[in-house]
Amino acid sequence: MNITISNSSGKPIYEQITSQIKNYIITGELKPGDALPSMRLLAKELRISVITTKRSYNDLEQEGFIETVTGKGSFVANRDVSIIREGSLRMAEEYLTKAVEIARKNAISLEELTEVLKVLYE
């Protein structure tokens, strides 16, 4: 698992960690039962505070992506990845619906909106 932190990103570091770990789980690179690095080890590798990694792991646990076993560590939860993916798709649809509404109100064509989406996606 390779996590990259960008100081120029508008996202807080804990959110960058959380989203990258979620992506590893959703894509299947991390499978149910796989162990995650300890919070201390990850903090050391990324040269960040343990509090930051703790917040990421707490968020992942609250969302059901990981399970933490006291004294043993954190592991990828036994969840159906298709359910996780469906939730992500639903969230993307909500944001895209808002983008379409804004585009229609401001006479932005479908072609223009599609081009913006392609650029952002890449």
Side-chain angles (χ1 to χ4, degrees):
M1 182 173 74
N2 183 24
I3 295 179
T4 305
I5 301 299
S6 171
N7 292 324
S8 62
S9 170
K11 290 172 83 173
I13 293 172
Y14 77 92
E15 284 183 10
Q16 292 179 49
I17 296 167
T18 302
S19 66
Q20 289 178 57
I21 292 174
K22 280 182 190 178
N23 189 49
Y24 281 125
I25 294 169
I26 290 170
T27 60
E29 289 183 53
L30 285 175
K31 301 191 180 340
D34 284 353
L36 296 176
S38 72
M39 288 180 235
R40 285 190 176 99
L41 177 62
L42 185 59
K44 183 179 177 184
E45 287 176 353
L46 298 175
R47 297 182 182 154
I48 59 173
S49 166
V50 174
I51 294 169
T52 303
T53 56
K54 182 173 175 43
R55 180 153 184 200
S56 295
Y57 279 34
N58 284 342
D59 287 356
L60 288 164
E61 189 163 17
Q62 286 179 343
E63 294 178 38
F65 283 90
I66 68 170
E67 299 169 341
T68 302
V69 179
T70 305
K72 292 192 177 188
S74 297
F75 303 87
V76 176
N78 289 319
R79 284 189 62 190
D80 186 355
V81 175
S82 63
I83 293 171
I84 295 169
R85 190 175 185 287
E86 183 64 32
S88 297
L89 184 58
R90 191 172 34 250
M91 191 181 336
E93 286 175 4
E94 289 174 21
Y95 285 114
L96 289 171
T97 300
K98 290 177 185 176
V100 168
E101 289 172 3
I102 292 169
R104 284 184 175 154
K105 287 179 184 176
N106 294 287
I108 297 170
S109 71
L110 175 59
E111 290 77 23
E112 290 173 303
L113 191 59
T114 303
E115 186 60 33
V116 170
L117 181 60
K118 286 179 182 177
V119 169
L120 292 174
Y121 197 82
E122 294 169 358

